[in-house]
Amino acid sequence: MLPRTIMGYVLQKSGRHQAALAVLSVAVFALSAVPLELQRRIVNDAIGSGAVRTIFLLALAYAGVAMLEQALKLVLNVYRAWVSETAVRALRRTLHVQRGDLAPGALSSDTTGVEIAMIVEEAQPIGGFVGISMSEPLLQGGILASVIGYMIYLEPWMAALCPLFFLPQLVFVPLMQWAINRRAEARIRTMREVSSGIAGAIVDVLDVPSESQRIDRVFTLNMGIYKFKYTMNLAMNLMYYFSVAAALGVGGWFAVEGRIEVGTVVAIVSGLGKLNDPWGDLVNWGRELSVVGVKYRLFADVVNGLNGRP
């Protein structure tokens, strides 16, 4: 029996591993603001005072923190990949076992075609999401919170100005994602029909015109998904560049008037760069959660149906 929701499956199959991934995620985002502070001190304190030894020590500290952060990310990513591939294998085995328990002749060509599509194509993205299901929002959300908190500590007014450019994304991202989800579900159902047609050709003549129409429909659905996805990415990138422009304009104005130091402007602009990637990753995670939730529901319906569960 499979749980009804993707997060239920995540907790059932990898609960302990999710806890370990969470610990690694906290360790990574705890280091995220440290390079910004080291950068600010090099520009303001060390260079301003002309202390060469201090500059080298801070530069070495920066390199050391970067190495530690990247090493932790490597461990986190490999661990995530292992959890994901374990989940993919478990899904495929579950479907195989459920099918093997049925009486001979109980499966039609349509059912066989659906199972082919599930094993070959659908299990991979569902299992792939398991590895990032909990650690990704924790990691990226933690990085956002750390960097925004540090920017507020440096210059509250500038830090409050820049994230305003991210707010429009709270409107257009969910709307575009809803459109993507509709096409993703239609694509899954169409691919199952294609597989069923191929499986039926083993005992009957393949209906070439119908199969051709289904393949064309998959193409149209995929292109619709790509258009929405890349348009969303374009809009998000524009919001980021607008925020950098605002930081440079307002920060330069404040620096000329002596209200803030140049190093603070540099740190805030660098901080915006560190906000863009985790924000994009967090949106991508939400996109995957939404789409994979649809895929998993369709997958679980078939597996539980084979087991006689409504």
Side-chain angles (χ1 to χ4, degrees):
M1 296 291 186
L2 291 179
R4 296 294 298 174
T5 64
I6 180 62
M7 297 310 292
Y9 181 79
V10 167
L11 292 174
Q12 182 187 83
K13 298 297 182 181
S14 62
R16 290 179 301 170
H17 297 299
Q18 297 299 333
L21 289 170
V23 172
L24 283 171
S25 299
V26 171
V28 172
F29 79 66
L31 295 172
S32 58
V34 177
L36 298 178
E37 175 62 15
L38 291 172
Q39 187 179 57
R40 185 186 70 85
R41 291 191 178 186
I42 290 173
V43 173
N44 285 340
D45 302 337
I47 294 179
S49 63
V52 177
R53 182 173 181 275
T54 303
I55 292 175
F56 280 121
L57 289 176
L58 289 173
L60 287 173
Y62 185 94
V65 170
M67 289 177 61
L68 177 59
E69 183 181 13
Q70 294 305 311
L72 288 173
K73 283 185 177 180
L74 174 62
V75 175
L76 177 63
N77 289 333
V78 173
Y79 194 2
R80 281 176 169 179
W82 180 84
V83 172
S84 294
E85 288 303 314
T86 301
V88 172
R89 181 177 61 182
L91 286 169
R92 287 171 173 160
R93 283 180 173 175
T94 298
L95 182 60
H96 178 70
V97 170
Q98 296 288 51
R99 188 181 190 277
D101 290 340
L102 296 177
L107 292 175
S108 65
S109 61
D110 287 346
T111 305
T112 301
V114 168
E115 290 179 3
I116 292 172
M118 291 170 66
I119 290 178
V120 172
E121 182 182 13
E122 296 177 28
Q124 190 69 44
I126 296 173
F129 179 76
V130 172
I132 65 169
S133 57
M134 294 186 176
S135 60
E136 184 72 357
L138 178 61
L139 172 63
Q140 306 305 339
I143 292 175
L144 286 174
S146 298
V147 174
I148 290 175
Y150 177 71
M151 291 168 65
I152 292 174
Y153 162 74
L154 285 182
E155 183 57 48
W157 288 110
M158 283 189 64
L161 175 66
C162 298
L164 290 177
F165 288 96
F166 292 96
L167 294 180
Q169 299 181 45
L170 300 178
V171 177
F172 67 76
V173 167
L175 292 175
M176 299 181 78
Q177 186 58 51
W178 176 78
I180 290 174
N181 289 352
R182 289 182 57 196
R183 287 159 177 78
E185 181 170 0
R187 178 187 178 278
I188 292 171
R189 296 188 185 278
T190 305
M191 284 301 300
R192 288 182 177 182
E193 292 173 0
V194 171
S195 298
S196 297
I198 295 173
I202 297 174
V203 295
D204 199 354
V205 178
L206 181 64
D207 187 351
V208 177
S210 295
E211 286 296 285
S212 179
Q213 290 173 1
R214 291 175 184 137
I215 291 172
D216 288 342
R217 176 163 170 73
V218 170
F219 171 81
T220 302
L221 290 168
N222 281 340
M223 288 308 302
I225 291 173
Y226 287 136
K227 289 175 183 177
F228 277 108
K229 177 181 176 181
Y230 293 135
T231 300
M232 187 190 305
N233 291 342
L234 170 65
M236 291 172 61
N237 288 335
L238 287 176
M239 294 298 101
Y240 162 67
Y241 288 118
F242 290 161
S243 65
V244 170
L248 290 172
V250 177
W253 172 32
F254 284 0
V256 169
E257 292 192 345
R259 296 175 58 181
I260 61 175
E261 298 171 319
V262 174
T264 301
V265 179
V266 173
I268 288 179
V269 172
S270 298
L272 286 171
K274 296 201 72 169
L275 286 179
N276 189 48
D277 288 341
W279 174 255
D281 290 340
L282 201 57
V283 171
N284 289 336
W285 175 86
R287 180 189 304 158
E288 286 195 49
L289 172 63
S290 185
V291 172
V292 169
V294 173
K295 294 179 179 179
Y296 177 79
R297 174 171 53 80
L298 296 173
F299 193 101
D301 286 345
V302 172
V303 173
N304 293 334
L306 290 175
N307 200 47
R309 175 179 174 176

